[in-house]
Amino acid sequence: MRTKKVIPYILILPHAVFFGVFFIFPLFKSVYMSLTEWGLFQGMIKYVGLDNYGKIFDFSGYRSEYFWKAIWVTVQFVIYSVPVLVFVATGLALMLNSKKLKTKSLHLTAIFVPTALSVTVVAVMWRWILNNHSGLLNYVLSFFGIGKIPWLTDLPWVWLSIVIATVWWTVGWNTVILLGGLKKIPDSLYDSAKVDGANSIQRFFYVTLPGLKQVMMFVVITQVLAGFGLFAQPQLMTGGGPGRETIPIMLHIYGEAFNPSRPRMGYATAMSLITGVIVISVTFLQYYLFTRNTKEDRR
């Protein structure tokens, strides 16, 4: 009897150890670091209390201005990229799910292959395509009498460039997930809708979208989380320019933590924790909005 009580604890022990080593310990270590002035290369640790957090919320200081500017840049990227990623992925999934398409495997492979590339390869490739002076896209547009567009140096073109590269690179994941969701919608629902006289648009809004609700929630939440993790595309494609217009929060934190003249690990950790609180809050808000009607229906 006693053995039966012990076995479950033994089974969860490996997970508990990994959870403690790779989540609990780093979390408490991060909180401690955020309360210090931590010189990465000087080996200096000085307790400063809430000073690092004070700099973030001191709205008259330039550090606070840079932090909230980077948060706003990141939010802009989420606003620009997530709807496009979800819309394009839904369209591609519907195309791949169509019975009229004969070469589904070929199309799915073509859509998914870019996700296998590293972000460095993607950024270099799109820098060549979007180069202001010798890029492929400006060369093609010149045949239509369109002048050179500063894709990588001026607003709003820099945002368009980053979003296009990101969508091309990552849309394959969402397409596969949404395609799996479409496969689980019973054909009988579509047949019943047809009998009731629903056209293709009505079947999409009253059968397909409700059937994809749970999958769509997963896709949107994960894409927003990925959007807040934006880092390498602006670093490699635009260098964060023009000015600081494309420096997202992760790139800003990295710049502060590994500043060549004076690394500020404590301040960077405080920014990381505040960003984490914002991301968790946004995630719970999305979950609430997606499940609100379901909870009301159960009542």
Side-chain angles (χ1 to χ4, degrees):
M1 191 66 182
R2 180 174 297 177
T3 304
K4 288 184 179 180
K5 289 183 178 179
V6 172
I7 287 177
Y9 295 102
I10 295 175
L11 293 175
I12 66 170
L13 183 60
H15 174 76
V17 170
F18 277 95
F19 186 73
V21 171
F22 294 106
F23 181 76
I24 299 298
F25 174 72
L27 178 62
F28 281 99
K29 182 71 175 293
S30 299
V31 172
Y32 172 66
M33 285 180 67
S34 71
L35 302 175
T36 66
E37 186 178 341
W38 193 298
L40 181 63
F41 303 120
Q42 300 90 338
M44 180 266 295
I45 302 175
K46 178 183 176 184
Y47 181 77
V48 295
L50 297 175
D51 282 3
N52 289 326
Y53 294 95
K55 293 173 184 173
I56 295 173
F57 292 99
D58 177 15
F59 295 105
S60 61
Y62 74 95
R63 292 194 187 284
S64 175
E65 179 187 351
Y66 286 171
F67 173 79
W68 293 107
K69 171 71 177 178
I71 289 288
W72 171 236
V73 167
T74 309
V75 170
Q76 284 185 82
F77 175 72
V78 170
I79 293 172
Y80 300 150
S81 66
V82 172
V84 178
L85 275 166
V86 174
F87 180 79
V88 173
T90 303
L92 292 173
L94 289 170
M95 179 191 74
L96 292 170
N97 195 48
S98 172
K99 295 177 181 176
K100 296 178 182 177
L101 186 65
K102 302 300 180 185
T103 54
K104 293 182 181 179
S105 299
L106 179 64
H107 283 77
L108 182 58
T109 302
I111 294 168
F112 196 75
V113 159
T115 63
L117 301 176
S118 72
V119 66
T120 306
V121 173
V122 173
V124 170
M125 188 182 73
W126 280 99
R127 275 183 66 91
W128 172 71
I129 294 173
L130 300 171
N131 186 282
N132 298 349
H133 303 291
S134 58
L136 176 65
L137 186 55
N138 276 345
Y139 176 74
V140 172
L141 292 176
S142 67
F143 289 103
F144 300 96
I146 300 175
K148 292 181 178 178
I149 296 175
W151 297 102
L152 301 173
T153 54
D154 287 355
L155 291 171
W157 308 108
V158 285
W159 276 122
L160 188 60
S161 303
I162 292 172
V163 170
I164 289 174
T166 304
V167 170
W168 178 83
W169 179 36
T170 62
V171 76
W173 284 109
N174 293 342
T175 303
V176 170
I177 294 170
L178 289 167
L179 182 61
L182 288 173
K183 296 289 185 187
K184 290 189 175 182
I185 300 176
D187 290 336
S188 58
L189 292 179
Y190 290 103
D191 295 336
S192 300
K194 284 182 182 178
V195 171
D196 292 338
N199 57 35
S200 57
I201 296 175
Q202 290 171 323
R203 291 198 296 275
F204 173 75
F205 282 104
Y206 293 107
V207 178
T208 304
L209 279 185
L212 282 177
K213 186 176 180 180
Q214 297 298 322
V215 178
M216 197 69 80
M217 178 179 72
F218 175 80
V219 169
V220 171
I221 289 176
T222 53
Q223 283 306 309
V224 171
L225 289 172
F228 272 93
L230 176 69
F231 181 87
Q233 297 97 306
Q235 184 190 35
L236 297 171
M237 291 177 66
T238 66
R244 302 181 66 89
E245 294 297 331
T246 56
I247 296 181
I249 187 60
M250 291 301 161
L251 190 55
H252 176 57
I253 291 172
Y254 171 81
E256 290 288 341
F258 299 98
N259 188 307
S261 60
R262 186 182 176 186
R264 287 180 278 268
M265 295 295 290
Y267 177 59
T269 307
M271 289 193 293
S272 301
L273 292 174
I274 295 295
T275 305
V277 172
I278 294 173
V279 172
I280 291 171
S281 301
V282 171
T283 302
F284 275 110
L285 177 63
Q286 292 176 87
Y287 180 78
Y288 168 76
L289 293 175
F290 268 104
T291 59
R292 181 179 53 179
N293 292 335
T294 305
K295 291 177 180 177
E296 290 176 353
D297 292 341
R298 288 175 182 170
R299 294 172 186 170

